Amino acid sequence: MKQLAAVVLTGGASRRMGRDKAAIRWGGQTLTQRIVQTVGSRCAPVIVVRAPFQDIADVDAVIIADREPGQGPLVALGQGLRAAAHVGARRAFVCAVDMPLVRAALIEELATGTGRIVLATAEGRDHYLAAVYDVGLCDTIDELTTAGERRLGALVEHVGAQRISISDPNWVVNVNTEAELNALPPLP
């Protein structure tokens, strides 16, 4: 199988959570440590795109700072894909740091897809931050962001996507509030 990198986006504002989600501890690890460890079991390298204020430590990953913080995930996605291309990857699994239930099995299911964008779908929803992206999309992302676009959906609309209905919808659960974090099932 062709090399598959991972891009983990950690730089969101965390407004609804009220604190930096990347540093939240759950199951004895920060969410960043947990996601990097999980995706690192299947992908190499793991690239973390962080906000300038974030101190991401104790992770086995390439860490890059978001060059345009506060501009949404499309800009950060482009940076992560460019970094993945730089190390020779052809595709990258992309996820957000607030998905503590993500599993390597999700990556395996999505890696079977052949589209330039392969989206996880669960319960009738597309998940742009649980997807495999062709690293060659960085130029398209640059064009979109230069034109003022910030939505991930704009990239999907522009390029199209293959959708894969995943086996377990829990893999794409994200936590945006303390209540959602507290509602997570106990770790196995």
Side-chain angles (χ1 to χ4, degrees), residues 4 51 64 71-72 81 95 108 113 117 145 151 158 166 180 186:
L4 184 67
I64 60 176
Q71 295 301 307
L81 292 179
C95 69
E108 294 297 331
I117 300 172
T145 58
R151 298 175 308 112
H158 187 76
I166 59 173
E180 291 171 345

Side-chain angles (χ1 to χ4, degrees), residues 2-87:
K2 298 175 185 130
Q3 183 182 5
L4 184 67
V7 175
V8 180
L9 304 181
T10 68
S14 300
R15 282 184 285 278
R16 289 179 281 173
M17 183 66 74
R19 59 186 171 129
D20 182 15
K21 288 190 266 187
I24 289 173
R25 295 193 73 74
W26 186 68
Q29 298 176 296
T30 65
L31 291 184
T32 303
Q33 290 167 333
R34 181 168 185 73
I35 296 292
V36 167
Q37 181 180 27
T38 300
V39 301
S41 70
R42 171 58 180 86
C43 303
V46 176
I47 299 157
V48 174
V49 183
R50 66 168 178 82
F53 66 85
Q54 289 178 309
D55 181 19
I56 305 292
D58 299 325
V59 295
D60 185 17
V62 175
I63 300 172
I64 60 176
D66 187 345
R67 70 175 189 262
E68 295 183 44
Q71 295 301 307
L74 187 59
V75 173
L77 171 63
Q79 289 177 253
L81 292 179
R82 195 168 305 284
H86 184 72
V87 297

